[in-house]
Amino acid sequence: MRATPFAVAGPGKLYVAGEYAVVTPGQPAILIAVDRYMTVTVTDAEPAATPAPTADLLAHDHCVAAVQTHEFGTDYALAAWLVMDKLRAERGLERRPVDFHFSSTLRSEAGEKYGLGSSGAATMAVITAVNELYGLGLTAIERIKLGILASIEISPRASGGDLAAGALGGWVYYQAPDREKLPRVLTDDGSVTQALTGPAWIPLRARRIPTPEDVQVLIGWTGSPAQTDDLVTQATTNGNGFDWEDAFLRPSAANVTSLLLALAEAKFALIHSGIRTARTLLARMAEHTATLVETPALTDLIETAQGFAGASAKTSGAGGGDCGIVLAEPWVNAVDIYTAWSAHGIHPLQLSVTQLGAGLKE
């Protein structure tokens, strides 16, 4: 067990390719972990000043009340704590009274979300903090699974890609499990230990991939937050007559596989082709499902960046606002792209890929 106080930081994420397809079990995606963080500081418990968790505090009092009432609402951090508390109890460990204090660099100074997966970062930070608190010795894959068990209680369609990027850091290959067949360990009061195994996890894959050499990753933010759950629901429930499997899932999987090889070998012509194919596939899916993935601002971001030789761009994540991502060759002057973006009202985000997954903050 770890003495308090201590702090854990969980990074944000961005999708490189495979969005929307990844919500289907076993469909691949590529993500990066970025150096913006959700930090959780664990301290000895004090009486909570408010009756409910806030963006800054998840107190021991809040947690105990949630255990007693089985109520966690839409608070991902609280759901993560509840899953971890059940695991603690199943391992016969006495509950320690601690508070969780949150701070984040995943939002703008005005409090607007950048679209970097703050819910997933908070979930993974809490799970990692409890793992450290009790010395549970959980592997990265186990922490990803626990994060998924917590997240699906609030957002059943959530793929878990943000959790994988947050747990592993760096460049990440991910495939989701069959979330519909996973037990609901909070609402149905099942065993967390038992829920970590079973056939529903068979499609799950989460692993680091080699960091591509010389690839510049540039991020632009449109200043318009996206509603990820709403967009994913729209895309996956609309589209009468759209051949989801052959027109989107199969070509997306093939493109991710090709992009993996291109990134590993720094073959820029193939990298650019993969990014542009991913954009084309997303546009096809969006058109047939009436889903707003690429807003005019995101189109402007992408077309502006692709006006520079040696750069390819697409939306990152659910679209509908938030971020666009550019992969550029090493000789491309990033400042030129940033300047062009700024002239169009697009905010360059000074982000880098972080090799560090969620862990202790020294």
Side-chain angles (χ1 to χ4, degrees):
M1 293 192 180
R2 184 168 296 277
T4 54
F6 67 90
V8 163
K13 66 84 181 79
L14 283 167
Y15 274 91
V16 177
E19 305 94 324
Y20 284 96
V22 74
V23 301
T24 300
Q27 282 290 316
I30 301 171
L31 303 93
I32 53 173
V34 298
D35 58 351
R36 294 290 182 96
Y37 300 92
M38 181 69 71
T39 299
V40 175
T41 302
V42 183
T43 65
D44 293 334
E46 296 184 0
T50 59
T54 68
D56 301 318
L57 176 66
L58 176 58
H60 181 68
D61 291 356
H62 302 149
C63 297
V64 172
V67 169
Q68 294 170 343
T69 62
H70 277 258
E71 175 59 40
F72 50 89
T74 59
D75 193 313
Y76 287 89
L78 182 52
W81 184 90
L82 287 168
V83 168
M84 294 301 289
D85 189 60
K86 291 194 71 172
L87 181 63
R88 168 207 59 80
E90 290 169 14
R91 294 195 177 186
L93 300 172
E94 183 178 351
R95 182 187 293 146
R96 293 177 62 180
V98 295
D99 295 339
F100 295 82
H101 306 265
F102 295 84
S103 60
S104 175
T105 56
L106 297 167
R107 294 173 179 261
S108 71
E109 291 183 359
E112 299 164 300
K113 289 185 177 182
Y114 287 130
L116 302 176
S118 56
S119 296
T123 300
M124 189 49 58
V126 168
I127 286 170
T128 302
V130 177
N131 180 49
E132 292 289 340
L133 181 67
Y134 292 104
L136 299 176
L138 298 169
T139 66
I141 293 296
E142 288 172 328
R143 287 186 289 127
I144 293 166
K145 286 183 174 183
L146 289 160
I148 291 171
L149 290 174
S151 297
I152 61 174
E153 297 278 7
I154 297 171
S155 178
R157 294 181 182 275
S159 72
D162 51 355
L163 302 168
L168 296 170
W171 291 70
V172 172
Y173 175 90
Y174 180 72
Q175 297 175 194
D178 190 343
R179 280 100 62 224
E180 290 186 2
K181 295 181 180 177
L182 289 175
R184 299 309 193 251
V185 296
L186 299 184
T187 51
D188 296 339
D189 205 26
S191 164
V192 174
T193 302
Q194 293 178 3
L196 290 173
T197 61
W201 294 110
I202 291 174
L204 174 67
R205 300 288 186 274
R207 60 179 172 84
R208 288 278 295 265
I209 60 176
T211 300
E213 294 183 6
D214 297 330
V215 176
Q216 294 191 76
V217 180
L218 312 179
I219 308 300
W221 181 53
T222 65
S224 176
Q227 300 298 321
T228 300
D229 284 351
D230 293 344
L231 288 166
V232 171
T233 298
Q234 171 86 2
T236 54
T237 57
N238 270 14
N240 290 334
F242 180 57
D243 189 341
W244 187 261
E245 182 72 25
D246 289 336
F248 185 63
L249 295 182
R250 290 183 189 277
S252 177
N255 187 53
V256 168
T257 299
S258 297
L259 188 55
L260 277 174
L261 295 174
L263 288 166
E265 299 176 4
K267 292 184 176 179
F268 283 102
L270 296 178
I271 290 171
H272 297 321
S273 176
I275 293 299
R276 289 168 178 157
T277 296
R279 182 191 181 196
T280 299
L281 290 172
L282 286 170
R284 178 192 299 169
M285 180 277 299
E287 178 183 1
H288 284 86
T289 61
T291 304
L292 181 62
V293 173
E294 193 173 299
T295 62
L298 282 169
T299 298
D300 204 13
L301 182 158
I302 292 165
E303 298 295 343
T304 299
Q306 291 190 156
F308 292 83
S312 54
K314 58 180 285 293
T315 56
S316 178
D322 284 340
C323 294
I325 186 169
V326 176
L327 298 190
E329 299 180 34
W331 53 267
V332 173
N333 188 339
V335 174
D336 289 344
I337 294 179
Y338 292 154
T339 300
W341 276 348
S342 296
H344 288 267
I346 296 160
H347 309 278
L349 297 183
Q350 303 298 326
L351 303 178
S352 299
V353 178
T354 178
Q355 302 300 322
L356 301 175
L360 286 171
K361 186 177 181 181
E362 301 299 336

